[in-house]
Amino acid sequence: MSSDTGKFGEYGGQYVPEALMPAIEELEDAYERYVLNNEDGFMDEFRQRLADFGGRPTPVQHADRLSERYDCDVYLKREDLLHGGAHKLNNALGQVLLAKYMGKERIIAETGAGQHGTATAMACAHLGMPCEVYMGRRDINRQRPNVFRMRLNDAEVNPVTVGRGTLKEAISETMRDWAANVEDTHYVIGSVVGPHPFPAMVRDFQRVISEEARAQMREKTGGLPDAVVTCAGGGSNTMGVFAEFVDDEDVDLYAVEAGGSSLEVDEEAGVAPNSATLSTGTEGVLHGSRTRVLQDRDGQIMESHSVSAGLDYAGVGPELADLVDSGRVTPANVDDDRAIEGFHRLSQLEGVIPALESAHAVAYVEESQADLGDTVLLNVSGRGDKDLETVLEETHERDIEDAPEMDTFAETGGFQ
C-alpha cells in the first residue's frame, strides 16, 4: 500500500465529499498515531480489552470428521467463539476505543447481517458511547434476533427503506449522517471498504485472526497450512485471516464469494443475482473507494444478492481486489444451495453451526478439497444462530442434500 495515498495498486483512495475530508484527515492522523505507533498505549489497551471482554485468543480446532471425509487435515479457526459470535468485534472494539481517544461523543455504524451492528452496540455499551446503527429494511426482516440484540445493548436501529434495503443502502445512509455530524461523530465502518484509512485500519484491527492462527498452526502441525479458505463479502474476515499469510508464498489463499442464484447479470433490471464481485466485478467507485464493483456498462451499481445477508454487497475491499489482480488470492464462488448444504454439513459433522457467510467457505472445501493440499485452515467467521430462521425457510423450499427431516416443522405450522 502507498501510505500517502491509501492506494493498493490501482485501487483504494479517497473519493468523498469535501465536507468529509476534515474527518478523514483527522482519522488518518489518529490511525497513524494510535494504531500504527501505539501512542498513549492505545494498542496495548485494545489487545487487553480483546482478551478480557472479547475472549481472545480463539482456538484452532482439528475437524476430525471433515478431515476423515476429505482424507486431509482440516482445521477450523473458531471466530464464532469470539464474544458476540463473530469476528466483527475485533474491528468494532478497536474503532470505538479509537473514537474515545479522539474525543468523539457519538458512534454510528451500518450493518447487513447484523453482526457488525451487534458488535458495535456491544463495544459502545462496554465503553459508554451512544450508538446508532443503520440497517436495510430487508436485512432487518432477515435478521430479527440481531436487531433485538442491538436494542438490548441500548443502540438505536434506523431502518433504511431506499433501494432494496440491504447493506449498500445502509452504508450510503450512514455516510450521509457522518457528513452532517463530523465534529462529534465517528463512523465505525464494518469492513475493509470505504475511503482511506478505513481499509487498512479495519484490516489491522482484524489482523489478530491470522496472528493467532499462524502461531496456532505452527504449534499444532509444526508448519503452515497449504491453504487458507474463508468467505468474502466486503472482506473484513478475509483480510483478517489472510494478513499474516500473504508473504508466505507456499500458502494458497482462497476468498469464497456468494454465487447467489446465478453469475449472470440482468442489466435491464439492474440486478446481479449474486455477490461475486471478485469473480465478475469491474473497476469502479463505491462508498469512497476505487475497487471492483458489480455495475452495468454505464457504471451504475447493480443490486446484489445472496442468501447470506452479510455477503449481500456489490463491492469488495480495495486491498483484496488488488491481491486477486496480482494472483496472490484466488477468488471462488458458491451458490445459495451449496452454501445451505455447507451449513448443514458442518453442523452435522463437527457440531459447529456456522454463519451462512462461513458456510460458503465450508461448501467450497467440500467441492475443491482435492486441490487444496494436505493441510487446510478454514475460517469460521461467525456462528449461525442469526441465520436459523433463514435456513429453516430456505431448506424447506429447496432440495438440499443431507438436510434434516423438515416434516415436523410443516406439521406444526412452522412455515409461512
Side-chain angles (χ1 to χ4, degrees), residues 221-347:
T221 70
L224 299 178
D226 295 310
V228 179
V229 181
T230 192
C231 64
S236 62
N237 97 90
T238 321
M239 288 310 308
V241 77
F242 285 174
E244 292 293 313
F245 292 105
V246 166
D247 292 335
D248 298 311
E249 295 183 1
D250 291 336
V251 179
D252 295 328
L253 307 176
Y254 294 87
V256 186
E257 299 183 291
S261 58
S262 169
L263 293 182
E264 299 297 322
V265 172
D266 186 343
E267 287 208 15
E268 185 174 337
V271 173
N274 62 76
S275 298
T277 312
L278 293 171
S279 301
T280 66
T282 54
E283 186 175 336
V285 175
L286 179 63
H287 297 135
S289 178
R290 180 170 293 279
T291 185
R292 286 197 186 193
V293 297
L294 298 176
Q295 59 186 340
D296 63 21
R297 67 192 68 185
D298 297 320
Q300 297 299 306
I301 302 300
M302 307 284 281
E303 299 291 352
S304 58
H305 162 77
S306 171
V307 71
S308 165
L311 300 183
D312 194 348
Y313 183 57
V316 69
E319 184 175 13
L320 187 52
D322 181 59
L323 288 170
V324 168
D325 279 7
S326 71
R328 182 64 188 94
V329 169
T330 301
N333 58 81
V334 161
D335 67 24
D336 289 344
D337 281 358
R338 289 183 295 156
I340 296 172
E341 290 171 4
F343 183 97
H344 289 298
R345 185 173 301 113
L346 192 64
S347 302

Side-chain angles (χ1 to χ4, degrees), residues 52-71:
D52 295 344
F53 179 66
R56 301 212 72 94
T58 61
V60 161
Q61 169 196 341
H62 185 259
D64 296 342
R65 297 184 68 192
L66 284 183
S67 297
E68 182 180 358
R69 180 182 180 93
Y70 303 139
D71 194 27

Side-chain angles (χ1 to χ4, degrees), residues 210-224:
S210 55
E211 288 175 346
E212 291 175 2
R214 196 173 189 278
Q216 289 164 326
M217 290 299 292
R218 282 193 179 280
E219 180 181 352
K220 287 179 175 292
T221 70
L224 299 178

Side-chain angles (χ1 to χ4, degrees), residues 80 343 346-347 351-355 380 382-385 388:
D80 58 305
F343 183 97
L346 192 64
S347 302
V352 176
I353 301 176
V380 183
R383 68 182 185 222
D385 308 50
L388 292 178

Side-chain angles (χ1 to χ4, degrees), residues 88 110-118 135 139-140 142-147 149-150 166-167 308-312 355-357 386-387:
K88 291 294 188 180
E110 91 295 328
T111 196
Q115 287 298 122
H116 172 60
T118 296
M135 189 173 190
D139 288 338
I140 287 176
R142 290 196 283 187
Q143 298 292 341
R144 290 182 296 174
N146 273 340
V147 176
R149 292 169 73 192
M150 286 182 262
T166 57
L167 182 59
S308 165
L311 300 183
D312 194 348
L356 268 175
E357 292 83 5
K386 65 183 179 61
D387 297 313

